[in-house]
């Protein structure tokens, strides 16, 4: 599935991923490939991105907010204050603040 995380300033992340875990207003939830279409509000917390490998990802100053998880190099994290998420046809778009 394809994940795109966009802030008002820039696109923070854009790549194929295995899954994404987000801080929903009613609790944390995870989306995998072929998840049902959904639109939801997000609260302050951490977005966890599960990837195959980091070898194809390039991190620069624009993507400095997306960081590898301390315990697992196949998990990237991004702290958000709030946002909205939409999943449809194996494409996830996170509008993050």
């Amino acid at each position: 599935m394809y994940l795109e995380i966009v802030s008002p300033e820039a696109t923070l992340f854009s790549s194929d991923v295995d899954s994404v875990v987000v801080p929903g207003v009613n609790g944390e939830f995870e989306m995998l490939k072929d998840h049902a279409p959904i639109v939801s509000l997000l609260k302050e917390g951490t977005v966890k991105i599960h990837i195959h490998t980091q070898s194809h990802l390039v991190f620069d100053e624009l993507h400095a907010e997306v960081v590898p998880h301390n315990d697992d190099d196949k998990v990237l994290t991004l702290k958000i204050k709030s946002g909205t998420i939409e999943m449809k046809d194996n494409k996830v778009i996170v509008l993050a603040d």
Side-chain angles (χ1 to χ4, degrees):
M1 97 181 152
Y2 192 79
L3 172 64
E4 187 171 64
I5 301 176
V6 180
S7 76
E9 293 81 26
T11 298
L12 303 176
F13 184 85
S14 182
S15 182
D16 285 317
V17 299
D18 289 337
S19 69
V20 61
V21 179
V22 294
V25 292
N26 293 320
E28 187 176 84
F29 64 96
E30 180 175 24
M31 286 169 288
L32 302 163
K33 183 179 177 188
D34 297 327
H35 191 286
I38 186 173
V39 173
S40 181
L41 295 175
L42 303 176
K43 65 179 184 175
E44 185 171 356
T46 302
V47 175
K48 297 174 192 156
I49 306 160
H50 297 260
I51 58 174
H52 292 293
T53 178
Q54 285 188 17
S55 61
H56 66 285
L57 298 176
V58 175
F59 295 97
D60 56 24
E61 66 277 354
L62 180 65
H63 303 92
E65 296 176 39
V66 179
V67 296
H69 190 275
N70 291 338
D71 300 329
D72 188 346
D73 64 352
K74 292 182 183 172
V75 177
L76 304 175
T77 61
L78 170 69
K79 296 204 180 289
I80 63 170
K81 294 180 183 171
S82 65
T84 305
I85 189 166
E86 176 186 22
M87 167 124 184
K88 183 178 178 186
D89 298 328
N90 283 320
K91 182 173 183 182
V92 180
I93 299 173
V94 175
L95 303 176
D97 207 14

